[in-house]
Amino acid sequence: MGGCDCENCRAMVAAGGRSRLRTSLLIETDGKHILIESSPDLRQQLLRACSPPHIDAVLWSHGHYDHFIGFGEFYRVQKMPAAYAPPPVMDYCSRYLHFLPFEKHPVPVYEPFGLFGVTFTFFEVNHPPVYTCGLLIEHDGATIAYTADTREDIPEKSMDLLKIPISISSSSTPSLPRVTISPNT
């Protein structure tokens, strides 16, 4: 088999050769949908979903094509959602998407901010040559760290923030990976 030999790629080949889709992660909470990354495969991912959700906000980790360019597909299916990213990432993506009207929210790294009852904190990681961040996601005592592209030499300030028991990295599946957050009952 040529190309990547990771577990996800092997699973796709075993499933009949379906192609891997690039990273996007959907968080659902109290009827709201927050999308982390808007990959070039976003339209295909949304169309494959049983009932494509309305996306209320998008968060970007960095300005690589495979993490933000799918944002341009929203005009086909819904109003453009608000976008959140660290200032250098927002500046880069906004320049590239200059023809699209959307609400921009530059968020300083290491400063928590809330969306629909979920707390997010961007933290720096190392993915040269572009400025890149991961995300700490917190809700009701649960904490998840997300990073899609990073080397092992993560800055110390970020490592201090990441002293948590659970972390996930992105994986590609035929539809959007989802994290559903439900209120404790």
Side-chain angles (χ1 to χ4, degrees), residues 149-169:
D149 291 338
T150 187
R151 295 183 349 184
E152 291 179 14
D153 55 338
I154 295 173
E156 187 174 336
K157 187 171 183 178
S158 295
M159 289 303 289
D160 289 344
L161 184 69
L162 292 174
K163 292 185 178 165
I164 58 170
I166 302 172
S167 68
I168 61 170
S169 61

Side-chain angles (χ1 to χ4, degrees), residues 97-110:
L97 299 168
H98 64 90
F99 56 93
L100 294 173
F102 64 97
E103 193 177 317
K104 301 166 185 76
H105 297 275
V107 180
V109 293
Y110 304 111

Side-chain angles (χ1 to χ4, degrees), residues 5 42 71 74 86 118 146 148 160 162 167 170 176:
D5 193 33
L42 180 63
F71 191 79
F74 277 111
V118 180
Y146 166 91
D160 289 344
L162 292 174
S167 68
S170 65
L176 287 171

Side-chain angles (χ1 to χ4, degrees), residues 65-162:
Y65 175 89
D66 60 330
H67 290 264
F68 79 93
I69 201 63
F71 191 79
E73 295 291 337
F74 277 111
Y75 80 94
R76 297 174 185 264
V77 294
Q78 71 166 64
K79 178 182 174 235
M80 301 301 284
Y84 297 77
V89 176
M90 183 60 72
D91 291 346
Y92 179 85
C93 295
S94 295
R95 281 194 310 273
Y96 198 91
L97 299 168
H98 64 90
F99 56 93
L100 294 173
F102 64 97
E103 193 177 317
K104 301 166 185 76
H105 297 275
V107 180
V109 293
Y110 304 111
E111 290 188 21
F113 66 100
L115 283 174
F116 314 117
V118 180
T119 301
F120 296 92
T121 307
F122 284 107
F123 59 90
E124 294 177 330
V125 295
N126 194 355
H127 179 49
V130 299
Y131 181 83
T132 304
C133 289
L135 269 169
L136 198 64
I137 306 163
E138 300 172 280
H139 184 271
D140 277 351
T143 302
I144 297 173
Y146 166 91
T147 134
D149 291 338
T150 187
R151 295 183 349 184
E152 291 179 14
D153 55 338
I154 295 173
E156 187 174 336
K157 187 171 183 178
S158 295
M159 289 303 289
D160 289 344
L161 184 69
L162 292 174

